């Protein structure tokens, strides 16, 4: 029997039969694909591209104790702290310094204004020894230190917890101070530190007292640089060791 006769017996036209067959084939294909997708779905793995590490920045404000008079650049306390933080997985750019030997609070204020620095993740502030050495009055120091701390907070994007204030070292124990009234120097250093500590606490910023550490230079000359006045790299390392957990708590 011919195909035409068969189609006639089924009362179907050739074109209608072909269309119906195609429809059936399409339905089968769709069912197969949906079934395959549903089976594969639980085994699919979404790959998330790794995020880029956050690289922080540090602005170090101060005087000779910040710029590291008498030691190499990588031995300054901000540089040593940054190196230790890297070991903790916290990346910091090379610290930016606005600091020079001999600067008072007035000098630092002027140079910050002239530099117009960018905002940074971390800001450190250590200033006042030259105010004491130049017999500046403590009232004026309180005013200027307060203004500097406010500026430091601004430069830390307003984050008070990211501004780290260090106390003034006691240079009365150094060979340089041997010809001075060391008892008076010690007393005045305490006066200035009482001021910067109190102001820092008022603004709820972290404060690190390194003065007691520097006084150990009286019996341990390895803590004093070869110039007979400033801290050595070993002393700066002790500051860095104390700063690392403080900064890690903020940045992690």
């Amino acid at each position: 029997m011919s195909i035409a006769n068969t189609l006639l017996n089924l009362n179907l036209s050739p074109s209608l039969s072909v269309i119906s067959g195609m429809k059936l084939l399409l339905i089968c294909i769709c069912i197969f694909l949906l079934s395959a997708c549903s089976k594969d779905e639980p085994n699919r793995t979404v790959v998330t591209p790794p995020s880029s590490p956050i690289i922080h920045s540090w602005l170090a404000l101060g005087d000779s104790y910040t710029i590291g008079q008498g030691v190499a650049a990588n031995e300054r306390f901000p540089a040593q702290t940054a190196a230790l933080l890297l070991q903790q997985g916290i990346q910091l750019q090379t610290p930016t310094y606005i600091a020079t030997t001999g600067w008072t609070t007035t000098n630092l204020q002027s140079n910050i204004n002239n530099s117009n620095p960018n905002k940074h993740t971390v800001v450190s502030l250590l200033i006042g020894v030259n105010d004491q050495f130049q017999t500046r009055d403590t009232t004026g120091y309180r005013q200027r230190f307060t203004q500097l701390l406010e500026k430091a907070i601004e430069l830390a994007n307003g984050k008070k917890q990211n501004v780290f204030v260090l106390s003034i070292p006691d240079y009365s124990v150094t060979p340089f101070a041997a010809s001075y009234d060391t008892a008076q120097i010690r007393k005045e250093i305490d006066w200035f530190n009482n001021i910067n500590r109190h102001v820092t606490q008022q603004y709820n910023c972290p404060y690190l007292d390194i003065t007691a550490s520097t006084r150990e230079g009286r019996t341990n000359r390895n803590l004093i640089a070869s110039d007979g006045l400033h801290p050595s790299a070993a002393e700066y390392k002790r500051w860095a060791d104390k700063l690392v957990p403080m900064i890690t708590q903020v940045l992690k």
Side-chain angles (χ1 to χ4, degrees), residues 4 14 26 36 42 47 59 84 86 93 99 103 107 114 118 132 146 153 165 172 176-177 184-185 233 241 252:
L26 287 172
V47 178
L59 177 62
L84 292 173
L86 182 59
Q93 300 171 357
W103 276 3
N107 297 135
N114 292 337
N118 296 324
Q132 179 275 328
T146 301
I153 294 170
V165 176
S172 69
F176 169 86
Q184 184 63 23
I185 291 173
D241 287 338
K252 270 198 169 181

Side-chain angles (χ1 to χ4, degrees), residues 56-98:
H56 301 284
S57 59
W58 182 336
L59 177 62
L61 306 175
D63 48 37
S64 58
Y65 296 127
T66 294
I67 204 63
Q69 180 71 33
V71 301
N74 66 339
E75 294 174 331
R76 299 165 178 168
F77 83 82
Q80 292 200 59
T81 305
L84 292 173
L85 287 170
L86 182 59
Q87 296 176 13
Q88 304 291 327
I90 299 176
Q91 296 192 41
L92 275 164
Q93 300 171 357
T94 301
T96 299
Y97 296 87
I98 301 181

Side-chain angles (χ1 to χ4, degrees), residues 125-138:
L125 178 62
L126 196 177
I127 193 71
V129 68
N130 294 298
D131 292 73
Q132 179 275 328
F133 185 72
Q134 297 180 23
T135 64
R136 298 287 188 95
D137 66 283
T138 53

